Amino acid sequence: MQRVKFRSIEPRLQPRRVKMPVPGWAGDPQPRANGSHEQPWHCTPFSEMAKYGIEILYPYDAEIRVSALNGCFAFDGDFGPPPDGNRSWPPFRPFGEGFYTFQLLLDLKPEPGFATRIDPHPRYFTDPTDTTPLAVPAIIRNWWPMIYFIVFKTPPEGRTHIFRPGEPMAQFTFVPDEPDFVLEPMGEDEAAERELQSRRIYESRSTLGVDSQWLSTTNTVFDATYRRLHGAMRGAASQRADDEQPE
């Protein structure tokens, strides 16, 4: 298990593993059943991505609105006095054209060989109001000891992004510090093996997922084939890890 250490200057800024509230930005508590409307939490690949890292919650008490109108960039909200006399205040600053920063007051230190990746919070992609702040992706190396700031993209003309107390505003994950991979086409044997696996899964849907099929309100057919295979593969991997433990 990897250990990620942190130090925070703002005591209310406590990073935590991402939570998927239902009801909330992860969707409504509609079952996987005929007549339900598909929800973000129904999708295993999205749920895994969403819960993969940590989330950062807006730590201050006042709601802040960020907008751009007629080419002008504006913050709307009562920041109040600074929490302490030594802090730069307010925590937002314009950053070039079309971007702004938030002084995070947080330092994260993953283990050697890993870096911190900043991404938009998953709720950005499920928000029908388009008011969730859009964090700009970035990679921070583990040797960097400075307090972070996050860059956000200004909303489109006439739109507003909102920072509300206690709402998540960005997601951090921990990735290998070098993209040490080579992209290459599969050989014929490997490609044929993958195609065979694909066909077997497709043909097994009528049995593996038959008792879990349901039709959503958009006439999309869903079943648990991926979810069940995912669970089986994780179980097999866990068993292999147990078997490899020294007695």
Side-chain angles (χ1 to χ4, degrees), residues 109-170:
K109 183 185 178 184
E111 291 181 351
F114 287 86
T116 302
R117 172 172 166 165
I118 304 172
D119 282 301
H121 192 274
R123 76 182 182 97
Y124 173 82
F125 303 100
T126 68
D127 180 8
T129 69
D130 198 23
T131 58
T132 299
L134 178 55
V136 175
I139 292 284
I140 307 295
R141 303 293 179 152
N142 72 340
W143 49 259
W144 182 251
M146 305 291 285
I147 293 297
Y148 292 3
F149 63 86
I150 303 178
V151 179
F152 290 91
K153 191 177 188 301
T154 305
E157 190 86 3
R159 299 288 186 90
T160 301
H161 287 171
I162 305 174
F163 291 83
R164 295 185 180 92
E167 283 192 348
M169 57 182 180

Coordinates of all heavy atoms in Angstrom, one line a residue, residues 109-170:
K109 N 2.8 14.7 -0.5 CA 4.1 14.0 -0.7 C 3.8 12.5 -0.9 O 3.8 11.7 0.0 CB 5.1 14.2 0.4 CG 6.4 13.6 0.1 CD 7.3 13.7 1.4 CE 8.7 13.1 1.1 NZ 9.6 13.1 2.3
P110 N 3.6 12.1 -2.2 CA 3.6 10.6 -2.4 C 4.9 10.0 -2.3 O 6.0 10.7 -2.2 CB 3.0 10.5 -3.9 CG 3.5 11.8 -4.5 CD 3.5 12.8 -3.4
E111 N 5.0 8.7 -2.3 CA 6.2 7.9 -2.2 C 7.1 8.1 -3.4 O 6.6 8.5 -4.5 CB 5.9 6.5 -1.9 CG 5.3 6.2 -0.6 CD 5.1 4.7 -0.3 OE1 5.2 3.9 -1.3 OE2 4.7 4.4 0.8
P112 N 8.4 7.9 -3.3 CA 9.3 8.0 -4.4 C 8.8 7.1 -5.6 O 8.3 6.0 -5.4 CB 10.7 7.4 -3.9 CG 10.6 7.7 -2.4 CD 9.2 7.5 -2.0
G113 N 9.0 7.7 -6.8 CA 8.5 7.0 -8.0 C 7.1 7.4 -8.4 O 6.6 7.0 -9.5
F114 N 6.4 8.3 -7.6 CA 5.1 8.7 -7.9 C 5.0 10.2 -7.9 O 5.8 10.9 -7.2 CB 4.1 8.2 -6.8 CG 3.8 6.7 -7.0 CD1 4.6 5.8 -6.4 CD2 2.7 6.3 -7.8 CE1 4.4 4.4 -6.6 CE2 2.5 4.9 -7.9 CZ 3.3 4.0 -7.3
A115 N 4.0 10.8 -8.6 CA 3.7 12.2 -8.7 C 2.3 12.4 -8.4 O 1.4 11.5 -8.5 CB 4.1 12.7 -10.0
T116 N 1.9 13.7 -8.1 CA 0.5 14.0 -7.8 C -0.1 14.6 -9.1 O 0.4 15.5 -9.7 CB 0.4 15.1 -6.7 OG1 1.0 14.5 -5.5 CG2 -1.0 15.4 -6.4
R117 N -1.2 14.0 -9.5 CA -1.9 14.5 -10.7 C -3.2 15.3 -10.3 O -4.0 14.7 -9.5 CB -2.2 13.4 -11.7 CG -3.1 13.8 -12.8 CD -3.3 12.6 -13.8 NE -4.4 12.9 -14.7 CZ -4.6 12.3 -15.9 NH1 -3.8 11.3 -16.2 NH2 -5.6 12.6 -16.6
I118 N -3.3 16.5 -10.8 CA -4.5 17.3 -10.5 C -5.5 17.2 -11.7 O -5.0 17.3 -12.9 CB -4.1 18.7 -10.3 CG1 -3.1 18.8 -9.1 CG2 -5.4 19.6 -10.0 CD1 -2.6 20.2 -8.9
D119 N -6.8 16.9 -11.4 CA -7.8 16.8 -12.5 C -9.0 17.5 -12.0 O -9.2 17.8 -10.8 CB -8.1 15.3 -12.8 CG -7.0 14.7 -13.7 OD1 -6.8 15.2 -14.8 OD2 -6.4 13.7 -13.2
P120 N -10.0 17.8 -13.0 CA -11.3 18.2 -12.6 C -11.9 17.2 -11.7 O -11.7 16.0 -11.8 CB -12.1 18.3 -13.9 CG -11.0 18.4 -15.0 CD -9.8 17.7 -14.4
H121 N -12.7 17.7 -10.7 CA -13.4 16.7 -9.9 C -14.5 16.0 -10.7 O -15.1 16.5 -11.7 CB -14.1 17.4 -8.7 CG -14.7 16.5 -7.7 ND1 -15.9 15.9 -7.8 CD2 -14.1 16.0 -6.6 CE1 -16.1 15.1 -6.8 NE2 -15.0 15.1 -6.0
P122 N -14.7 14.7 -10.5 CA -15.7 13.9 -11.3 C -17.0 14.5 -11.4 O -17.8 14.4 -12.4 CB -15.7 12.5 -10.7 CG -14.4 12.4 -9.9 CD -14.0 13.8 -9.5
R123 N -17.4 15.3 -10.4 CA -18.8 15.9 -10.5 C -18.9 16.9 -11.6 O -20.0 17.3 -12.0 CB -19.2 16.5 -9.1 CG -18.5 17.8 -8.8 CD -19.0 18.3 -7.4 NE -18.4 19.6 -7.0 CZ -19.0 20.8 -7.1 NH1 -20.3 20.8 -7.6 NH2 -18.5 21.9 -6.8
Y124 N -17.8 17.4 -12.1 CA -17.8 18.4 -13.2 C -18.5 17.7 -14.4 O -19.3 18.4 -15.1 CB -16.4 18.8 -13.6 CG -16.4 19.6 -14.9 CD1 -16.6 21.0 -14.8 CD2 -16.1 19.0 -16.1 CE1 -16.6 21.7 -16.0 CE2 -16.1 19.8 -17.3 CZ -16.4 21.1 -17.2 OH -16.4 21.9 -18.4
F125 N -18.3 16.4 -14.6 CA -18.8 15.7 -15.7 C -20.3 15.3 -15.6 O -20.9 14.8 -16.5 CB -18.0 14.5 -16.1 CG -16.5 14.9 -16.3 CD1 -15.6 14.7 -15.3 CD2 -16.1 15.5 -17.5 CE1 -14.3 15.1 -15.5 CE2 -14.8 15.8 -17.7 CZ -13.9 15.7 -16.7
T126 N -20.8 15.3 -14.3 CA -22.2 14.9 -14.1 C -23.1 16.1 -13.8 O -24.3 15.9 -13.6 CB -22.3 13.9 -12.9 OG1 -21.9 14.6 -11.7 CG2 -21.3 12.8 -13.1
D127 N -22.6 17.3 -13.8 CA -23.3 18.5 -13.3 C -24.2 19.1 -14.5 O -23.6 19.6 -15.4 CB -22.3 19.6 -12.8 CG -23.0 20.8 -12.4 OD1 -24.2 20.9 -12.3 OD2 -22.3 21.8 -12.1
P128 N -25.5 18.9 -14.4 CA -26.3 19.5 -15.5 C -26.4 21.0 -15.5 O -26.8 21.6 -16.6 CB -27.7 18.8 -15.2 CG -27.7 18.6 -13.7 CD -26.3 18.3 -13.4
T129 N -26.0 21.6 -14.4 CA -26.1 23.1 -14.4 C -24.8 23.8 -14.9 O -24.8 25.0 -15.1 CB -26.3 23.6 -12.9 OG1 -25.1 23.3 -12.2 CG2 -27.5 22.9 -12.3
D130 N -23.7 23.0 -15.1 CA -22.5 23.5 -15.6 C -21.9 24.6 -14.7 O -21.4 25.6 -15.2 CB -22.6 24.0 -17.1 CG -21.3 24.2 -17.8 OD1 -20.3 23.5 -17.3 OD2 -21.2 24.9 -18.8
T131 N -22.1 24.5 -13.4 CA -21.6 25.5 -12.5 C -20.4 24.9 -11.7 O -19.8 25.7 -10.9 CB -22.7 25.9 -11.5 OG1 -23.2 24.8 -10.8 CG2 -23.8 26.6 -12.2
T132 N -20.0 23.7 -11.9 CA -18.8 23.1 -11.2 C -17.5 23.7 -11.7 O -17.3 23.8 -12.9 CB -18.8 21.6 -11.3 OG1 -20.0 21.0 -10.8 CG2 -17.6 21.0 -10.6
P133 N -16.7 24.2 -10.8 CA -15.4 24.8 -11.3 C -14.6 23.7 -12.0 O -14.6 22.5 -11.7 CB -14.7 25.1 -10.0 CG -15.8 25.4 -9.0 CD -16.8 24.4 -9.4
L134 N -13.8 24.2 -13.0 CA -13.1 23.3 -13.9 C -11.6 23.5 -13.6 O -10.9 24.4 -14.1 CB -13.4 23.7 -15.4 CG -12.6 22.9 -16.5 CD1 -12.8 21.4 -16.3 CD2 -13.0 23.3 -17.9
A135 N -11.0 22.5 -12.9 CA -9.6 22.5 -12.6 C -8.8 22.1 -13.8 O -9.2 21.2 -14.5 CB -9.3 21.5 -11.4
V136 N -7.7 22.7 -14.0 CA -6.8 22.4 -15.2 C -5.9 21.3 -14.8 O -5.2 21.4 -13.7 CB -6.1 23.7 -15.6 CG1 -5.1 23.3 -16.7 CG2 -7.0 24.8 -16.0
P137 N -5.8 20.2 -15.6 CA -4.9 19.1 -15.2 C -3.5 19.6 -15.1 O -3.0 20.4 -15.8 CB -5.1 18.1 -16.4 CG -6.5 18.5 -16.9 CD -6.6 19.9 -16.8
A138 N -2.8 18.9 -14.2 CA -1.3 19.2 -13.9 C -0.7 18.1 -13.2 O -1.4 17.2 -12.6 CB -1.2 20.5 -13.1
I139 N 0.6 18.0 -13.3 CA 1.4 17.0 -12.6 C 2.4 17.7 -11.7 O 3.1 18.6 -12.2 CB 2.2 16.1 -13.6 CG1 1.3 15.2 -14.4 CG2 3.3 15.3 -12.8 CD1 0.8 14.0 -13.6
I140 N 2.4 17.4 -10.4 CA 3.3 17.9 -9.4 C 4.2 16.8 -8.9 O 3.8 15.8 -8.4 CB 2.6 18.6 -8.2 CG1 1.5 19.6 -8.7 CG2 3.6 19.3 -7.3 CD1 2.1 20.8 -9.4
R141 N 5.6 17.0 -9.1 CA 6.5 16.0 -8.7 C 6.6 15.9 -7.1 O 6.4 16.9 -6.4 CB 7.9 16.3 -9.2 CG 7.9 16.4 -10.8 CD 7.6 15.1 -11.4 NE 7.6 15.2 -12.9 CZ 7.9 14.2 -13.7 NH1 8.2 13.0 -13.2 NH2 7.8 14.3 -15.0
N142 N 7.0 14.8 -6.6 CA 7.0 14.6 -5.2 C 8.1 15.3 -4.5 O 8.1 15.5 -3.3 CB 7.0 13.1 -4.8 CG 8.3 12.4 -5.1 OD1 9.1 12.9 -5.9 ND2 8.6 11.3 -4.5
W143 N 9.1 15.8 -5.3 CA 10.2 16.5 -4.6 C 9.9 18.0 -4.4 O 10.6 18.7 -3.8 CB 11.5 16.4 -5.5 CG 11.3 16.7 -6.9 CD1 11.2 15.8 -7.9 CD2 11.2 18.0 -7.6 NE1 11.1 16.5 -9.2 CE2 11.1 17.8 -8.9 CE3 11.2 19.3 -7.1 CZ2 10.9 18.9 -9.9 CZ3 11.1 20.4 -8.0 CH2 11.0 20.1 -9.4
W144 N 8.7 18.5 -4.9 CA 8.3 19.9 -4.8 C 7.7 20.1 -3.5 O 6.6 19.6 -3.2 CB 7.3 20.2 -5.9 CG 6.9 21.6 -6.0 CD1 5.6 22.1 -5.6 CD2 7.6 22.8 -6.3 NE1 5.6 23.5 -5.8 CE2 6.8 23.9 -6.2 CE3 9.0 23.0 -6.8 CZ2 7.2 25.2 -6.5 CZ3 9.4 24.3 -7.1 CH2 8.5 25.4 -6.9
P145 N 8.3 20.9 -2.6 CA 7.9 21.0 -1.2 C 6.9 22.3 -1.0 O 6.5 22.5 0.1 CB 9.2 21.2 -0.4 CG 10.0 22.0 -1.4 CD 9.7 21.5 -2.8
M146 N 6.7 23.0 -2.1 CA 6.0 24.3 -1.9 C 4.5 24.0 -1.8 O 4.0 23.0 -2.3 CB 6.2 25.2 -3.1 CG 7.7 25.5 -3.4 SD 8.4 26.5 -2.1 CE 7.7 28.1 -2.6
I147 N 3.8 24.9 -1.1 CA 2.3 24.8 -1.0 C 1.7 25.0 -2.4 O 2.1 25.8 -3.2 CB 1.8 25.9 -0.1 CG1 2.3 25.6 1.4 CG2 0.3 26.0 -0.1 CD1 1.8 24.4 1.9
Y148 N 0.7 24.1 -2.7 CA 0.1 24.1 -4.0 C -0.8 25.3 -4.3 O -1.4 25.8 -3.4 CB -0.7 22.8 -4.2 CG 0.0 21.5 -4.3 CD1 1.4 21.4 -4.1 CD2 -0.7 20.3 -4.5 CE1 2.1 20.2 -4.2 CE2 0.0 19.1 -4.6 CZ 1.3 19.1 -4.4 OH 2.0 17.9 -4.5
F149 N -1.0 25.6 -5.6 CA -2.1 26.3 -6.0 C -2.7 25.6 -7.2 O -2.1 24.8 -7.8 CB -1.8 27.8 -6.4 CG -0.9 27.9 -7.5 CD1 -1.4 27.9 -8.8 CD2 0.5 28.1 -7.3 CE1 -0.5 28.1 -9.9 CE2 1.4 28.3 -8.4 CZ 0.9 28.3 -9.7
I150 N -4.0 25.7 -7.4 CA -4.7 25.0 -8.5 C -5.1 26.1 -9.5 O -5.6 27.2 -9.1 CB -6.0 24.3 -8.0 CG1 -5.7 23.3 -6.9 CG2 -6.7 23.6 -9.1 CD1 -6.9 22.6 -6.3
V151 N -4.9 25.8 -10.8 CA -5.4 26.6 -11.8 C -6.7 26.2 -12.3 O -7.0 25.0 -12.5 CB -4.4 26.6 -13.0 CG1 -4.9 27.5 -14.2 CG2 -3.0 27.1 -12.6
F152 N -7.7 27.1 -12.4 CA -9.0 26.8 -13.0 C -9.2 27.6 -14.3 O -8.7 28.7 -14.5 CB -10.1 27.2 -12.0 CG -10.2 26.4 -10.7 CD1 -9.4 26.7 -9.6 CD2 -11.0 25.2 -10.7 CE1 -9.5 25.9 -8.5 CE2 -11.0 24.4 -9.6 CZ -10.3 24.8 -8.4
K153 N -10.0 27.0 -15.1 CA -10.4 27.6 -16.4 C -11.6 28.5 -16.1 O -12.6 28.1 -15.5 CB -10.7 26.6 -17.5 CG -10.9 27.2 -18.9 CD -11.1 26.1 -19.9 CE -11.0 26.7 -21.3 NZ -12.0 27.8 -21.5
T154 N -11.6 29.7 -16.6 CA -12.7 30.6 -16.5 C -13.9 30.1 -17.3 O -13.7 29.5 -18.4 CB -12.4 32.0 -17.1 OG1 -11.2 32.5 -16.5 CG2 -13.5 33.0 -16.9
P155 N -15.1 30.2 -16.8 CA -16.3 29.6 -17.5 C -16.5 30.4 -18.8 O -16.0 31.5 -19.0 CB -17.4 29.8 -16.5 CG -17.0 30.9 -15.6 CD -15.5 30.8 -15.5
P156 N -17.3 29.8 -19.7 CA -17.6 30.5 -21.0 C -18.4 31.8 -20.7 O -19.0 32.0 -19.7 CB -18.4 29.5 -21.7 CG -18.1 28.1 -21.1 CD -17.8 28.4 -19.7
E157 N -18.3 32.6 -21.7 CA -19.0 33.9 -21.6 C -20.5 33.7 -21.2 O -21.2 32.9 -21.8 CB -19.0 34.6 -22.9 CG -19.5 36.1 -22.9 CD -18.3 37.0 -22.5 OE1 -17.2 36.6 -22.3 OE2 -18.6 38.3 -22.4
G158 N -20.9 34.4 -20.2 CA -22.3 34.4 -19.7 C -22.6 33.2 -18.7 O -23.7 33.1 -18.2
R159 N -21.6 32.3 -18.5 CA -21.8 31.2 -17.5 C -21.1 31.6 -16.2 O -20.3 32.5 -16.1 CB -21.2 29.9 -18.1 CG -21.8 29.5 -19.4 CD -23.2 28.9 -19.1 NE -23.8 28.3 -20.4 CZ -23.6 27.1 -20.7 NH1 -22.9 26.3 -20.0 NH2 -24.2 26.6 -21.8
T160 N -21.5 30.8 -15.2 CA -20.9 31.0 -13.8 C -20.5 29.7 -13.2 O -21.3 28.7 -13.2 CB -22.0 31.7 -12.9 OG1 -22.4 33.0 -13.5 CG2 -21.4 32.0 -11.5
H161 N -19.3 29.7 -12.7 CA -18.9 28.6 -11.8 C -18.9 29.0 -10.4 O -18.6 30.1 -10.0 CB -17.4 28.2 -12.2 CG -17.3 27.5 -13.5 ND1 -16.1 27.2 -14.1 CD2 -18.3 27.0 -14.3 CE1 -16.3 26.5 -15.3 NE2 -17.6 26.4 -15.4
I162 N -19.3 28.0 -9.5 CA -19.6 28.4 -8.1 C -18.8 27.5 -7.2 O -18.8 26.3 -7.3 CB -21.1 28.2 -7.8 CG1 -22.0 29.0 -8.8 CG2 -21.5 28.6 -6.4 CD1 -23.5 28.7 -8.7
F163 N -18.2 28.2 -6.2 CA -17.5 27.5 -5.1 C -18.4 27.6 -3.9 O -18.6 28.7 -3.4 CB -16.1 28.2 -4.8 CG -15.1 28.0 -5.9 CD1 -15.1 28.8 -7.0 CD2 -14.2 27.0 -5.8 CE1 -14.1 28.6 -8.0 CE2 -13.2 26.8 -6.8 CZ -13.2 27.6 -7.9
R164 N -18.9 26.4 -3.4 CA -19.8 26.4 -2.3 C -19.0 25.8 -1.1 O -18.2 24.8 -1.3 CB -21.0 25.7 -2.6 CG -21.9 26.3 -3.6 CD -23.2 25.5 -3.8 NE -24.1 26.1 -4.8 CZ -24.1 25.8 -6.0 NH1 -23.3 24.8 -6.5 NH2 -25.0 26.4 -6.9
P165 N -19.3 26.2 0.1 CA -18.6 25.6 1.3 C -18.8 24.1 1.3 O -19.9 23.6 1.2 CB -19.2 26.3 2.5 CG -19.7 27.6 1.9 CD -20.1 27.4 0.5
G166 N -17.7 23.4 1.5 CA -17.8 22.0 1.7 C -18.0 21.2 0.4 O -18.1 19.9 0.5
E167 N -18.1 21.8 -0.8 CA -18.3 21.1 -2.0 C -16.9 20.8 -2.7 O -16.0 21.6 -2.6 CB -19.1 21.9 -3.0 CG -20.6 21.8 -2.7 CD -21.4 22.4 -3.9 OE1 -20.9 23.0 -4.8 OE2 -22.6 22.2 -3.8
P168 N -16.7 19.6 -3.2 CA -15.5 19.2 -3.9 C -15.2 20.1 -5.1 O -16.1 20.4 -5.9 CB -15.6 17.7 -4.2 CG -17.1 17.5 -4.3 CD -17.7 18.5 -3.3
M169 N -13.9 20.4 -5.3 CA -13.6 21.3 -6.4 C -12.5 20.8 -7.3 O -12.2 21.3 -8.3 CB -13.2 22.7 -5.9 CG -12.0 22.7 -4.9 SD -11.7 24.4 -4.3 CE -10.3 24.1 -3.2
A170 N -11.8 19.7 -6.8 CA -10.7 19.1 -7.7 C -10.5 17.7 -7.2 O -10.8 17.4 -6.0 CB -9.5 19.9 -7.6

